[in-house]
Amino acid sequence: GQQVMQIPQYQHVQEGEDFTTYCNSSTTLSNIQWYKQRPGGHPVFLIQLVKSGEVKKQKRLTFQFGEAKKNSSLHITATQTTDVGTYFCAGLSGTSYGKLTFGQGTILTVHP
Amino acid sequence: NAGVTQTPKFQVLKTGQSMTLQCAQDMNHEYMSWYRQDPGMGLRLIHYSVGAGITDQGEVPNGYNVSRSTTEDFPLRLLSAAPSQTSVYFCASSSSGLAEVSGANVLTFGAGSRLTVL
């Protein structure tokens, strides 16, 4: 079945440093989504990428979808303590419905 | 506008007991699903439903049953709880649509149910 691998599993940064997490799928994806889960909370949708090579930005967050639609990355510039949490990528194969396959997540810790 | 509501938030069971985790959504979403979250394992799909009367297995369905009699509700049943089912459970729903359409298939999660099986 489809597998989505995400690295690194953990990342500790000093406030102000950049952070990147990478996502790799074993199959070509229809789209890829990113979610953030604050400690003790539930996953919350951040963004969805659909097109090959797509790049989207949300303030300090930059999301990329690979040309082959099998990999993706999330980059945070100048991390803040409010960025702490677990970041998940989730891939969708096929044409419809939300049967997403999630990566293992990257736990981000930001030291002030 | 409640979104996805899960109950209970916390539950402690003894091995062999049964229970039902409730999930309800008020967004008229066709798709509903249950995930479990364990440390280092990410979110793993247990069961999902693409509409009332239709359910299917996900990645880790053993030990769990579901049904979907209405669009709004998607309960998850543990028939005979085992310690391996200690986890945090999330219900999530989405509207359906072509995967290429931005906004389709985006999951809205409930707050989670933390289950401990002794």
Side-chain angles (χ1 to χ4, degrees), chain B residues 25-99:
Chain B
Q25 53 93 7
D26 62 358
M27 298 172 286
N28 202 31
H29 283 169
E30 300 92 339
Y31 180 87
M32 297 187 73
S33 55
W34 278 100
Y35 286 87
R36 60 177 289 174
Q37 183 175 27
D38 303 290
M41 304 292 287
L43 293 156
R44 293 184 292 170
L45 183 64
I46 304 172
H47 284 286
Y48 66 98
S49 168
V50 299
I54 306 169
T55 64
D56 206 346
Q57 297 181 347
E59 180 186 355
V60 289
N62 292 340
Y64 307 96
N65 276 354
V66 292
S67 60
R68 183 96 179 267
S69 56
T70 66
T71 299
E72 295 78 18
D73 299 299
F74 190 47
L76 179 71
R77 297 183 185 85
L78 284 71
L79 299 178
S80 179
S84 61
Q85 294 178 304
T86 294
S87 187
V88 179
Y89 292 84
F90 289 101
C91 179
S93 71
S94 75
S95 59
S96 63
L98 293 176

Side-chain angles (χ1 to χ4, degrees), chain A residues 31 33 35 37 48 95 97 100, chain B residues 35 37 99 103-105 107 110:
Chain A
N31 70 47
Q33 300 174 18
Y35 292 78
Q37 183 179 26
Q48 178 173 260
T95 58
Y97 297 115
L100 297 170
Chain B
Y35 286 87
Q37 183 175 27
N105 306 298
L107 289 175

